Structures are given as C-alpha cells and as structure tokens.
C-alpha cells in the first residue's frame, strides 16, 4: 500500500505564529490531496484540499502547497488561534483506489 | 439537513459476541467507508464500498464484515474473531470515490465488557 508520513507529529506554537505540517507520500499516481482537522473526540472535517493540476490553494488563514515531483504537500496556517488546536491528518488517494491517512500532527496553540 | 448518522454512540461487546454498527447517509453519495481509530493514532481503513452490493477490504478487514444493500446504508459488523475491538469507529462517505472529499459521521465508541 501507499506509504504516507506526516511531520512533525506534534507542533506547539504561540498564538499568532504560523504553523506548517508536511505530508509525504509514495504513489506517483495520487491526484487528490486533502487535509482534515479533528478536535478531541469529534469527527474529522475537511479544511482544505488540492488537486494535482494546481500547485497552491489558499482559503483565508489556511493554505496547501503541492510538490508532485518530490511527492509531498504541506498545510500552512497563519496567524494561529487557540481554536486551531487539534490533530491534523493528510490523506492522499492512490492508484489502487485506496486511502491511507497519515499518522496525524497534534497542533497546540498557546495563548 | 444532510449528513451521516452513526449509531449507537457508545457500544459494549461481550466475549464471543458479534455487534453491528449502523451508518446511514442522506447525501446521495455513492462511496462509503469504515475506519478504525485507536487512541492517539490515525485512521485505518477497514472496508469501503463504491456501489451498492460491492465492497472492498481495506488494510485491517480481518474480524470485520460489511454489507451494502442500499445506497444509504453501510453497516459494519465486528465479529468475535476481532480480538481487540476496543476503538473509535468512524463512517464516511464521498460523492464517487477516493478522489472526493469525505464527510464523516460522529463515530461509535466500542468497548469490551
């Protein structure tokens, strides 16, 4: 199956700082790259996604960048707020029509 | 109000017992998924279905079974063969397949008595 890794596994930032989470994948046929946010005990929710024909996408304080050659995509959160504290997961699709989630990144935003 | 409904929210299983987790969606999505999440871990795919009466095993299908008799419903049975069933189970759906955003239910927390 596809190998999906996220780094870092935990990230602590001060309120107002930026946070960057990286997801590397192994299947060059992947063409859909979403990021999900999961608050403690709750359902994951899609926060941003990108397709392989686009290099960057931005939605207010959140952006995703994609490097298909290097097989990684990153989540960027600017001006972090305490409510951004959660676990973030990447989940690229793959040619085998399967889904592999990354192990997650726990983001803590300190007021 | 469209969405995915999972029930029950909490479930307890006795030794040797099969239990069934319900997942219903009214989003008119073709694809549905079941995931297992252990504490502090990511989501692992158990089964998924892209069309009625068809489903495929994910990475950890052993000890689980599913059915997809209706587009709206994708129940998961945790059989007695699953020796470590304690986990948070999440159901999801997407419009057509793995290239679309997934919408998740609120999950079922399963524990062993």
């Amino acid at each position: 199956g596809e190998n999906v890794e996220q780094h870092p596994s935990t990230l602590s930032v001060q309120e107002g700082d930026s946070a960057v989470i990286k997801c590397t994948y192994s299947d060059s046929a992947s063409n859909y790259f979403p990021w999900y946010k999961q608050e403690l005990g709750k359902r994951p929710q899609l926060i941003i996604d990108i397709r392989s024909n686009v290099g960057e996408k931005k939605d207010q304080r959140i952006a995703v960048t994609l490097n298909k050659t290097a097989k990684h995509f990153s989540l960027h959160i600017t001006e972090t707020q305490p409510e951004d504290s959660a676990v973030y997961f990447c989940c690229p699709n793959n040619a085998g029509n399967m889904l592999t989630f990354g192990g997650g990144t726990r983001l803590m935003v300190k007021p | 109000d469209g969405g995915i409904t999972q029930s029950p929210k909490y479930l307890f299983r006795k030794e040797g017992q099969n239990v069934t987790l319900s997942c219903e969606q009214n989003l008119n999505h073709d694809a549905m998924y079941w995931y297992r999440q252990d504490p502090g871990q990511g989501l692992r795919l158990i089964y998924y279905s892209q069309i009625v009466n068809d489903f495929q095993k994910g990475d950890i299908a052993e000890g689980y079974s599913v059915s997809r008799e209706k587009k709206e419903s994708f129940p998961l049975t945790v059989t007695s063969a699953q020796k470590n069933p304690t986990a948070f189970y999440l159901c999801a759906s997407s419009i057509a397949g793995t290239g679309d955003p997934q919408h998740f239910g609120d999950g079922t927390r399963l524990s062993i008595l």
Side-chain angles (χ1 to χ4, degrees):
Chain A
E2 174 153 46
N3 187 30
V4 178
E5 293 186 357
Q6 279 182 240
H7 294 282
S9 57
T10 61
L11 180 58
S12 182
V13 299
Q14 208 66 37
E15 182 177 358
D17 288 350
S18 295
V20 181
I21 304 169
K22 185 176 180 179
C23 181
T24 61
Y25 59 96
S26 58
D27 191 340
S28 56
S30 295
N31 60 14
Y32 177 63
F33 308 93
W35 284 97
Y36 293 89
K37 174 184 180 182
Q38 186 180 30
E39 297 178 21
L40 190 62
K42 296 192 175 178
R43 69 173 83 177
Q45 291 190 296
L46 179 76
I47 54 169
I48 197 165
D49 58 6
I50 194 168
R51 299 196 183 270
S52 58
N53 56 345
V54 177
E56 182 175 355
K57 182 178 177 180
K58 191 173 181 182
D59 182 4
Q60 298 183 350
R61 297 187 296 109
I62 295 173
V64 55
T65 57
L66 172 65
N67 185 328
K68 280 219 76 178
T69 304
K71 288 189 274 188
H72 65 75
F73 62 111
S74 297
L75 175 68
H76 304 256
I77 306 175
T78 59
E79 301 170 31
T80 53
Q81 300 167 4
E83 50 265 38
D84 294 328
S85 296
V87 179
Y88 292 82
F89 294 100
C90 63
C91 180
N93 68 343
N94 59 64
N97 212 24
M98 294 284 285
L99 288 170
T100 303
F101 274 75
T105 297
R106 183 172 301 276
L107 174 64
M108 293 170 283
V109 180
K110 293 181 282 187
Chain B
D1 184 26
I4 299 181
T5 302
Q6 287 188 244
S7 62
K9 192 169 183 178
Y10 299 96
L11 188 58
F12 298 92
R13 197 192 87 170
K14 296 180 183 177
E15 289 285 340
Q17 185 182 43
N18 293 352
V19 292
T20 297
L21 284 59
S22 171
C23 178
E24 303 277 332
Q25 55 101 357
N26 60 6
L27 299 168
N28 199 32
H29 286 174
D30 285 323
M32 297 187 74
Y33 312 82
W34 273 106
Y35 294 94
R36 170 179 172 143
Q37 187 174 34
D38 291 287
Q41 304 294 314
L43 281 71
R44 292 184 290 168
L45 184 66
I46 305 173
Y47 270 100
Y48 76 100
S49 167
Q50 285 195 286
I51 196 169
V52 172
N53 292 324
D54 188 45
F55 47 83
Q56 286 76 42
K57 293 181 179 180
D59 296 323
I60 56 165
E62 187 174 348
Y64 301 96
S65 66
V66 293
S67 63
R68 187 89 187 272
E69 297 177 2
K70 297 187 300 182
K71 185 176 184 176
E72 302 79 20
S73 179
F74 192 40
L76 173 75
T77 297
V78 184
T79 74
S80 57
Q82 173 49 247
K83 298 304 180 189
N84 183 23
T86 297
F88 188 46
Y89 290 87
L90 285 158
C91 179
S93 72
S94 64
I95 292 174
T98 59
D100 300 309
Q102 293 184 72
H103 299 255
F104 286 86
D106 285 329
T108 293
R109 207 165 287 279
L110 176 62
S111 303
I112 289 186
L113 280 177

